[in-house]
Amino acid sequence: MGRDFAYVILGGGVAAGYAALEFAKKGVSHGQLCIISDEPVAPYERPALSKGFLLPEAPARLPGFHTCVGANEERLTPNWYTEHGIELILGTRVISADTKLKTLLTATGETITYKFLIIATGARAVKLEEIGINGSNAENVCYLRDLSDATKLVNMMRMCTGGNAIVIGGGYIGMECAASLVMNKINVSMVFPGSYCMGRLFTPRIASYYEEFYKSKGVSFIKGTSLSSLVFNSEGKVTGANLKDGRYLHADMVVVGIGARPNTNLFEGQLAFENGGIKVNNRFQSSNTSIYAVGDIASFPIKLFNDTRRVEHVDAARKTAKHAVHAIMEPKTISDFDYLPFFYSRAFSLSWQFYGDNVGEVVHFGDFSGTKFGAYWVNNGRLVGCFLEGGGDEDYVAIAKVVRLKPVVLDLGELERKGVDFVVAV
Ligand code: FAD
């Protein structure tokens, strides 16, 4: 059993959706393109799962957040794919790939042949068992990577109203889930080993603002320790957690956000790897010229910082996917990808954006007791990064423009005094 396609996108997440739209814009013919995804639904905006999807009232639901609404482009419902002659092969896992034969084998026993392959398999949540703790399969232990995880989390929140949740991890997922749990009237204790939340991006001062805000909403922070074991009742439900510092916490539910790993195993030994992902050039072509890699799994050159990185954020998934399709369909008109890293998050009434690189000296600015503040990063005398909470559209446009220019900064005090006006004035 087998089918042939000119173009195959492996994975049906954010990057797949944006790639499909770009293929359609470039005039792909009916029957030339397919998307293979082990998820049962057409590509959707994954960030919605930890935000609108978890709201207690008027939550976001499909088809409302199919790609590409997140970038204010067309919304690609399953019908859209049919109308454009793009085959969606859903609920189908690819279990092996042969890059020499240009074939993918699915769990249903079908062999799919491609001329060009775009790998967009994203990442998976790290499981408790990978850090030596049992309990992932318990009915009240939740992760958050895909729609089925989010649905389980919503169901658990409904069953635990007024109860206690432990959130393991102080990164993006932990912070956004903690806010959603509180909004769903659940008491939250966040446990993480670092001395402050969002340790890979925030400075201690920025983190302290968010922690105080969360505390004012009732969240408890238990820092500098981690989970030692979960405690179960006779039905296999988690009832509490032992921490490494000897504390015990009662729990009606647990949310685990301890990191993600790129889904690259199908291609190990067949393609070149870098930074734990598939190494690509500035057109997203891997070491095999018929295979492109985009989104969370791609390790790509970042010209601005003369570096290669994997970026596990939605903006990179959208832009890398579009660029790869352009490179495949119109190779003569493509320029080298020139990416400015951009991350954002929203929780409660808070909303921040970060552009560039968080290396070098930090200069905080703005009103940390109010609603608008941020930080600049200056490395080797140049402005390389900026974080801003509570900005308006024009602030963020100015930040993106100026960070890309990496201006020389002679006086750090000026950055502090002027705050976001520094970039707005450039
Ligand atoms: P994904 O969107 O993960 O898609 C990968 C797809 O491949 C999935 O459908 C998966 O099921 C499928 N797949 C994998 N292996 C196989 C296989 N063998 N066979 C078939 N199908 C397969 N980023 C931000 O910048 N801001 C945010 O606020 C933000 N919020 C987020 C909230 C959540 C809950 C999550 C999980 C992520 C969030 N992100 C955020 C990160 C962002 O969503 C990812 O960077 C983005 O989804 C990556 O896109 P992708 O297409 O590479 O991978």
Side-chain angles (χ1 to χ4, degrees):
M1 182 163 82
R3 278 185 275 181
D4 274 352
F5 291 90
Y7 312 105
V8 171
I9 302 171
L10 170 53
V14 172
Y18 283 79
L21 182 60
E22 197 62 16
F23 269 117
K25 286 182 181 169
K26 303 270 178 234
V28 73
S29 306
H30 282 222
Q32 281 195 310
L33 170 64
C34 82
I35 293 177
I36 314 172
S37 176
D38 58 1
E39 289 195 77
V41 293
Y44 56 88
E45 301 285 355
R46 199 164 302 280
L49 297 181
S50 55
K51 303 175 185 66
F53 197 86
L54 303 182
L55 290 175
E57 273 160 44
R61 289 290 178 265
L62 290 175
F65 60 98
H66 278 301
T67 58
C68 299
V69 288
N72 296 322
E73 297 206 64
E74 240 178 301
R75 184 161 56 101
L76 314 187
T77 59
N79 247 351
W80 180 92
Y81 292 92
T82 311
E83 280 162 16
H84 288 78
I86 297 169
E87 185 101 17
L88 281 179
I89 304 175
L90 300 178
T92 304
R93 187 158 187 79
V94 168
I95 53 168
S96 69
D98 187 324
T99 60
K100 289 205 173 79
L101 293 176
K102 299 189 175 186
T103 56
L104 303 172
L105 176 65
T106 70
T108 51
E110 186 176 15
T111 299
I112 292 176
T113 310
Y114 57 82
K115 280 199 185 61
F116 287 98
L117 173 66
I118 298 184
I119 308 170
T121 43
R124 62 170 181 82
V126 174
K127 293 284 158 97
L128 285 175
E129 286 69 13
E130 294 173 67
I131 56 165
I133 290 163
N134 289 328
S136 286
N137 294 329
E139 66 171 273
N140 57 344
V141 171
C142 300
Y143 291 87
L144 188 51
R145 182 70 208 184
D146 60 23
L147 193 62
S148 68
D149 294 336
T151 306
K152 175 175 174 180
L153 179 53
V154 166
N155 292 338
M156 279 318 306
M157 288 197 300
R158 287 201 185 127
M159 287 164 65
C160 294
T161 308
N164 297 307
I166 305 175
V167 173
I168 312 289
Y172 271 94
I173 298 289
M175 292 299 278
E176 292 189 8
C177 286
S180 299
L181 287 158
V182 168
M183 288 192 275
N184 283 275
K185 302 196 173 13
I186 295 165
N187 306 308
V188 179
S189 300
M190 286 189 76
V191 179
F192 53 87
S195 52
Y196 57 91
C197 67
M198 295 286 297
R200 280 162 64 183
L201 176 63
F202 286 4
T203 66
R205 190 165 172 201
I206 294 174
S208 157
Y209 175 91
Y210 290 93
E211 289 180 14
E212 290 307 314
F213 189 96
Y214 273 55
K215 281 186 210 165
S216 76
K217 301 282 181 189
V219 175
S220 307
F221 286 86
I222 301 172
K223 302 188 277 188
T225 188
S226 55
L227 191 61
S228 154
S229 63
L230 292 173
V231 178
F232 304 88
N233 67 12
S234 56
E235 286 149 18
K237 245 177 125 170
V238 172
T239 52
N242 292 310
L243 305 187
K244 286 195 177 144
D245 67 1
R247 270 187 269 192
Y248 171 82
L249 301 175
H250 167 71
D252 298 299
M253 64 181 287
V254 175
V255 180
V256 184
I258 53 172
R261 294 274 180 280
N263 293 319
T264 50
N265 54 332
L266 293 173
F267 298 94
E268 270 154 28
Q270 301 196 71
L271 300 176
F273 274 61
E274 185 181 45
N275 301 318
I278 295 172
K279 181 181 163 125
V280 292
N281 62 19
N282 44 32
R283 293 160 182 224
F284 297 94
Q285 201 168 31
S286 72
S287 53
N288 178 318
T289 53
S290 312
I291 302 181
Y292 290 67
V294 296
D296 283 3
I297 50 126
S299 175
F300 60 93
I302 302 202
K303 240 165 72 173
L304 197 60
F305 302 123
N306 198 20
D307 200 0
T308 59
R309 295 186 193 171
R310 248 180 2 90
V311 181
E312 285 184 11
H313 292 283
V314 72
D315 178 65
R318 293 170 181 157
K319 290 179 178 156
T320 57
K322 288 172 90 162
H323 202 85
V325 173
H326 189 165
I328 292 170
M329 299 288 279
E330 292 172 356
K332 291 205 172 97
T333 65
I334 190 83
S335 50
D336 289 349
F337 194 63
D338 188 6
Y339 188 61
L340 172 69
F342 160 56
F343 325 135
Y344 73 92
S345 181
R346 289 193 303 271
F348 294 119
S349 55
L350 305 170
S351 171
W352 58 258
Q353 298 192 11
F354 172 82
Y355 293 85
D357 215 4
N358 59 330
V359 293
E361 279 182 88
V362 182
V363 180
H364 294 100
F365 63 80
D367 180 6
F368 275 72
S369 58
T371 55
K372 190 171 175 182
F373 61 87
Y376 289 111
W377 279 259
V378 178
N379 197 26
N380 297 324
R382 288 181 177 274
L383 181 69
V384 293
C386 181
F387 172 97
L388 180 64
E389 164 66 44
D393 287 349
E394 64 194 53
D395 296 327
Y396 292 121
V397 168
I399 291 170
K401 188 183 101 188
V402 174
V403 171
R404 192 174 266 290
L405 297 172
K406 291 196 291 181
V408 170
V409 175
L410 298 172
D411 174 11
L412 296 186
E414 189 191 359
L415 290 182
E416 188 180 347
R417 279 190 307 278
K418 290 194 171 162
V420 76
D421 290 341
F422 177 87
V423 288
V424 172
V426 171

